[in-house]
C-alpha cells in the first residue's frame, strides 16, 4: 500500500531559527495536504497543493509540491513559540481515495 | 471553524464495558472518518464512510464497529473495552472530492 514518510521525526529550534519538514510518498499523489496539531489538540488543515511544482506561502510558512508529485516540504522562516506542534502531511493517489497521513514532525521552539 | 462534535471528550471506564463514542457534523458532508492516535504519534485510519449505510474498515485493524444511519452521525462502538483500546479517537468529515478534512476535538479513552 501507499506509504507517506516524513522527516525529521522531531526538531527543537531556538526562536528565530528556520525549520523545514519533508514529506515523501511511495506513489504519485493527486494532491498533498498539510495539517498542524497543537499539543493536546486536533489536526487543523493548513493548506492543499495540487499542481506539480506548486509553491504556496502563508505568512512565514512556505509549502512546496515536487515536480513528480511524490514529495513536498513545509518551511517556516523565523520560528515563533506559537509554531510549536506536530506538522502532518497527507495525500492519496486520487481524489476518491482515503488520505494517508505521514507520521508527523514534532516542532519544539524555545524562547 | 468546522462544525464537528465529539462526545465524550474524556472517558475513563473499566474493562469489559460497552462504549459508544459519538461524532456529529452539521456540514452535510458525505465522507466521515475515525482515526486512532496515541499521544505524539501518527494518525491511524480505523473506519470510514462515504455516505449513509456505507462503512469500510481502515488501514489499522480495530475491534471497534461503526454505523452510518444518518449523514450527520457516525458513532463508533467497542463491545467490550480492553486496556489495549486506551488511546485518543479522532473523528473527521470531508466535503466533495479532495476537500480538506475537518477534525473534532477527539475523545481520550482510558480503559482500566
Amino acid at each position: 500500500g501507499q506509504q507517506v514518510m516524513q522527516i525529521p521525526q522531531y526538531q527543537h529550534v531556538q526562536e528565530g531559527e528556520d525549520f523545514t519538514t519533508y514529506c515523501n510518498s511511495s506513489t504519485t499523489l493527486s494532491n498533498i495536504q498539510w495539517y498542524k496539531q497543537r499539543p493536546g489538540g486536533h489536526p487543523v488543515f493548513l493548506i492543499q497543493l495540487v499542481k506539480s511544482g506548486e509553491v504556496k506561502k502563508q505568512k512565514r510558512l512556505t509549502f512546496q509540491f515536487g515536480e513528480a508529485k511524490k514529495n513536498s516540504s513545509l518551511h517556516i522562516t523565523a520560528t515563533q513559540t506559537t509554531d510549536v506542534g506536530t506538522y502532518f502531511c497527507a495525500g492519496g493517489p486520487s481524489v476518491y481515495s482515503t488520505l494517508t497521513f505521514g507520521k508527523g514532525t514534532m516542532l519544539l521552539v524555545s524562547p | 471553524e468546522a462544525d464537528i462534535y465529539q462526545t465524550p471528550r474524556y472517558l475513563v471506564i473499566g474493562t469489559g464495558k460497552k462504549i459508544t463514542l459519538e461524532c456529529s457534523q452539521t456540514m452535510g458532508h458525505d465522507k466521515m472518518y475515525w482515526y486512532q492516535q496515541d499521544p505524539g504519534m501518527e494518525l491511524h485510519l480505523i473506519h470510514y464512510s462515504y455516505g449513509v449505510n456505507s462503512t469500510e474498515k481502515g488501514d489499522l485493524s480495530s475491534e471497534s464497529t461503526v454505523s452510518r444511519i444518518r449523514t450527520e452521525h457516525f458513532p463508533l462502538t467497542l463491545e467490550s473495552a480492553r486496556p489495549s483500546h486506551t488511546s485518543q479517537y479522532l473523528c473527521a468529515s470531508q466535503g466533495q472530492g479532495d476537500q480538506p478534512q475537518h477534525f473534532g476535538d477527539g475523545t481520550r479513552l482510558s480503559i482500566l
Side-chain angles (χ1 to χ4, degrees):
Chain A
Q2 179 183 28
Q3 290 185 318
V4 176
M5 293 147 286
Q6 262 187 274
I7 56 170
Q9 190 174 354
Y10 171 83
Q11 188 152 8
H12 185 181
V13 301
Q14 293 294 122
E15 192 171 24
E17 293 181 338
D18 291 356
F19 159 77
T20 304
T21 174
Y22 300 91
C23 180
N24 291 285
S25 171
S26 58
T27 59
T28 302
L29 302 169
S30 66
N31 71 94
I32 190 92
Q33 299 180 13
W34 285 91
Y35 293 78
K36 177 184 178 181
Q37 184 175 22
R38 294 182 185 275
H42 58 273
V44 174
F45 172 75
L46 292 177
I47 208 159
Q48 180 183 50
L49 304 170
V50 178
K51 299 177 183 177
S52 169
E54 189 170 14
V55 178
K56 286 188 176 181
K57 292 190 175 184
Q58 287 181 349
K59 297 182 180 178
R60 295 177 293 104
L61 277 60
T62 302
F63 303 82
Q64 291 187 329
F65 200 10
E67 293 290 339
K69 300 184 75 173
K70 294 179 72 173
N71 57 76
S72 182
S73 65
L74 158 59
H75 179 81
I76 302 178
T77 304
T79 56
Q80 300 175 357
T81 55
T82 53
D83 295 326
V84 164
T86 299
Y87 293 85
F88 293 95
C89 64
S94 82
V95 299
Y96 305 107
S97 59
T98 57
L99 283 179
T100 299
F101 280 80
K103 292 187 177 183
T105 296
M106 184 182 296
L107 173 64
L108 182 61
V109 181
S110 295
Chain B
E1 193 67 26
D3 296 320
I4 180 164
Y5 309 100
Q6 289 187 244
T7 58
R9 185 78 175 87
Y10 302 92
L11 180 61
V12 180
I13 201 165
T15 299
K17 301 292 186 183
K18 180 179 180 179
I19 301 167
T20 296
L21 307 185
E22 302 288 349
C23 178
S24 296
Q25 50 96 5
T26 59
M27 296 167 284
H29 288 167
D30 285 329
K31 299 177 185 178
M32 295 189 74
Y33 306 86
W34 276 103
Y35 294 90
Q36 185 175 340
Q37 183 186 37
D38 292 327
M41 304 297 284
E42 64 194 290
L43 293 154
H44 292 287
L45 179 66
I46 51 175
H47 297 284
Y48 63 98
S49 167
Y50 282 177
V52 172
N53 294 325
S54 159
T55 62
E56 301 287 343
K57 289 186 180 294
D59 304 320
L60 181 68
S61 175
S62 174
E63 294 166 345
S64 58
T65 59
V66 291
S67 62
R68 191 86 183 277
I69 299 173
R70 304 197 316 265
T71 298
E72 61 271 21
H73 196 211
F74 191 39
L76 180 145
T77 299
L78 282 163
E79 289 294 333
S80 180
R82 295 210 300 265
S84 61
H85 296 139
T86 295
S87 189
Q88 174 170 240
Y89 293 83
L90 289 161
C91 179
S93 73
Q94 183 182 14
Q96 296 290 331
D98 55 3
Q99 293 296 309
Q101 293 188 11
H102 301 275
F103 286 82
D105 288 335
T107 294
R108 293 183 186 272
L109 179 62
S110 182
I111 310 299
L112 304 178

